[in-house]
Amino acid sequence: MKAGIEAISFYTSHYFFDLKNLAEERQTPVDKFYHGIGQEKMAAPPPDEDVVTLAANAAYQVIQKVDAEKIDTVIFATESGIDQSKSAGIYVHSMLGLSRNCRVLEVKQACYSAAAGIQLALPYLLLHPDRKVLLVAADIARYGLGSAGEPTQGAGAVAMVLSSQPKIIAFDQETGIYTEDVMDFWRPNYREEAFVDGKFSIKMYLKSLYEAWQQYTDRSGSRFDDFYRFCYHLPFSRMGEKAHFHLAKHIGREDFSEEYLLGQINETLQYIKIIGNTYAASMYIGLMALLENSAQDLAGKKIGFFSYGSGCVGEFFSGQVLPGYQQYLLAEQHRAFLQNRTELNYEEYKKFYLYSIPQDGGEYLTPRNKTGLFRFAGLKEHKRIYQKLESDSAR
Ligand code: CAA
């Protein structure tokens, strides 16, 4: 028996900002963004969207596809949490009306945390094959205005139901892990934006990939040629290319052409290019881009996953695509959502970016914008208020 993904979906902001406008504003050649880092657009969350609403809007779609009564664990993976104590997962659990006989927790290790959620859930599901785990990963990637990281911002969430009756991906047991105490990217509690040593973060990503791969192959006996496609953590789409070329080079597979290697990752980059970084959610948005856009039937194919979280932890793991997976995807819905988003001009982008919620304990209502079914409505006595709407603007 194998455990894996029974249902999966993503959600992002209804608003985006095109990087050609950022290039103009920052007097940078647009090619640096479009080609140098491989990003075209970035999702920009309005004031009434936060990690809870991003996650709830993604999760609402997946719980319709499964027997939700069987979900007895909710894991919320994020590095943009909204409370130092209460798990963001409790809000999501409540908004979705899940069973109260449920454990709910939040996990954090930069962009790696969702992979940790998967690895913790799998043995639990094999031990309890009648139960299901809802894993949500949601983040708002935020860097300083005018900083090198600014074009790699984004926002989004992934929700997946993991179970011992997977319909989309069945995960293998062996993984390879690498951890090292480094300061490549971090966000102290008093900061809204991350500090990042960009070049060093790329170096640590690549080092962790190689080290994790070595342990994975030693433990599993799998080889590069066993894989059909690779899904990488994607802070920006060119990072996927850098990672894949680095891996091929360092394991001595320089015989593969650039074209062949790009073919192993290209489909995974499609959504991230127009959404931006979503930290913990990004690798799984890459997985959905692959499954939903591949011209080939991927059933039976082996997929490699590399999750990297600054600080740092990297893990390489693998899984097989299951026969008939296509009928469990939300491909049309996702494509339509991305096509129908609203474009922001620079002033509108900056207004969303600069909006901050008051901290005086008063009663505040957030301005109404386009959101999914759930929105962050405001604050009262330091308590966050969420609202369920009659319909999702995307439907
Ligand atoms: N036309 C085409 N390409 C151009 C160009 C032009 N006019 N100008 C520059 N470029 C290319 C550069 O040659 C470079 O390509 P290579 O990487 O192949 O050398 C690329 O564009 C980027 O240029 P720079 O290196 O000069 O870019 P930068 O210094 O402004 O910053 C960055 C790039 C470090 C990624 C920055 O955006 C950043 O700090 N981002 C946030 C950190 C991050 O994403 N790190 C990734 C690893 S850590 C991680 O994965 C965790 C996470 O999610 C944060």
Side-chain angles (χ1 to χ4, degrees):
M1 184 170 53
K2 280 194 169 182
I5 302 175
E6 185 176 336
I8 187 164
S9 188
F10 77 84
Y11 174 83
T12 179
S13 169
H14 285 254
Y15 299 92
F16 74 89
F17 182 50
D18 196 308
L19 295 186
K20 69 174 187 281
N21 299 321
L22 186 67
E24 196 179 307
E25 202 63 40
R26 303 282 175 252
Q27 296 181 350
T28 301
V30 67
D31 277 353
K32 174 174 177 182
F33 297 157
Y34 276 16
H35 303 294
I37 60 169
Q39 290 301 118
E40 293 165 16
K41 296 169 182 170
M42 60 189 183
D48 48 350
E49 199 83 91
D50 67 6
V51 286
V52 169
T53 62
L54 291 170
N57 286 314
Y60 183 79
Q61 302 167 32
V62 289
I63 63 160
Q64 316 299 321
K65 308 280 264 180
V66 302
D67 181 356
E69 297 269 298
K70 295 198 169 147
I71 295 172
D72 79 339
T73 302
V74 175
I75 302 175
F76 196 120
T78 186
E79 59 178 291
S80 8
I82 42 100
D83 195 290
Q84 299 285 28
S85 171
K86 181 169 174 167
S87 162
I90 303 253
Y91 295 102
V92 174
H93 171 271
S94 162
M95 286 149 112
L96 300 177
L98 296 176
S99 159
R100 294 208 175 168
N101 296 118
C102 190
R103 68 176 67 75
V104 182
L105 67 154
E106 186 172 308
V107 288
K108 178 175 70 182
Q109 177 24 57
C111 311
Y112 164 72
S113 54
I118 292 177
Q119 297 307 329
L120 295 174
L122 296 181
Y124 173 72
L125 292 165
L126 294 175
L127 204 58
H128 303 285
D130 56 325
R131 304 183 192 167
K132 298 183 196 296
V133 172
L134 173 64
L135 171 64
V136 287
D139 270 310
I140 295 173
R142 215 180 130 86
Y143 298 93
L145 290 178
S147 71
E150 186 182 24
T152 66
Q153 296 179 117
V158 158
M160 55 188 115
V161 174
L162 301 167
S163 79
S164 60
Q165 292 91 43
K167 305 282 191 285
I168 298 170
I169 298 282
F171 290 112
D172 300 324
Q173 217 176 317
E174 295 299 354
T175 80
I177 313 170
Y178 182 76
T179 288
E180 188 176 333
D181 181 4
V182 290
M183 298 301 278
D184 59 334
F185 172 106
W186 69 105
R187 184 167 69 85
N189 286 347
Y190 50 82
R191 291 265 306 186
E192 288 289 320
E193 296 87 34
F195 287 111
V196 62
D197 183 340
K199 299 283 192 292
F200 181 49
S201 70
I202 294 173
K203 197 171 149 202
M204 286 314 302
Y205 179 124
L206 298 177
K207 180 180 180 191
S208 307
L209 166 61
Y210 179 69
E211 297 289 345
W213 168 264
Q214 291 290 43
Q215 192 187 41
Y216 168 81
T217 49
D218 285 351
R219 284 173 163 182
S220 66
S222 291
R223 294 289 168 260
F224 194 83
D225 293 5
D226 298 336
F227 291 90
Y228 190 66
R229 295 286 184 263
F230 290 78
C231 289
Y232 290 96
H233 167 54
L234 297 171
F236 50 94
S237 79
R238 281 263 350 270
M239 190 67 228
E241 276 178 40
K242 281 178 189 288
H244 200 48
F245 290 174
H246 180 86
L247 184 63
K249 183 175 170 202
H250 283 79
I251 60 169
R253 296 309 304 260
E254 281 162 293
D255 50 321
F256 289 128
S257 68
E258 213 170 85
E259 193 187 0
Y260 176 80
L261 292 173
L262 285 175
Q264 291 187 309
I265 57 161
N266 262 346
E267 291 139 332
T268 70
L269 313 178
Q270 286 189 29
Y271 293 162
I272 287 300
K273 275 183 189 209
I274 55 168
I275 293 176
N277 197 355
T278 58
Y279 293 158
S282 94
M283 187 171 76
Y284 312 92
I285 295 182
L287 170 64
M288 276 178 271
L290 166 66
L291 297 174
E292 295 176 0
N293 297 291
S294 176
Q296 287 98 9
D297 182 358
L298 300 173
K301 304 287 190 201
K302 191 174 178 81
I303 311 287
F305 297 92
F306 176 66
S307 173
Y308 176 75
S310 290
C312 69
V313 179
E315 185 156 8
F316 194 97
F317 56 105
S318 59
Q320 269 74 34
V321 182
L322 294 167
Y325 67 96
Q326 295 94 333
Q327 60 186 296
Y328 300 101
L329 301 174
L330 294 165
E332 288 305 319
Q333 195 174 315
H334 290 155
R335 280 194 285 264
F337 183 98
L338 291 173
Q339 269 161 21
N340 293 326
R341 294 179 300 166
T342 302
E343 179 165 2
L344 301 176
N345 62 32
Y346 179 70
E347 288 310 320
E348 291 164 333
Y349 151 70
K350 209 164 97 176
K351 198 170 162 203
F352 278 2
Y353 179 95
L354 292 174
Y355 182 85
S356 67
I357 53 173
Q359 298 182 1
D360 60 7
E363 188 171 351
Y364 295 98
L365 294 179
T366 43
R368 177 83 186 259
N369 290 282
K370 277 194 221 168
T371 62
L373 208 50
F374 302 100
R375 66 182 288 273
F376 169 48
L379 278 174
K380 190 177 178 187
E381 296 170 357
H382 299 289
K383 295 170 193 159
R384 293 175 93 85
I385 301 158
Y386 291 99
Q387 181 186 11
K388 186 173 180 187
L389 303 172
E390 289 300 311
S391 71
D392 178 336
S393 324
R395 279 159 215 268

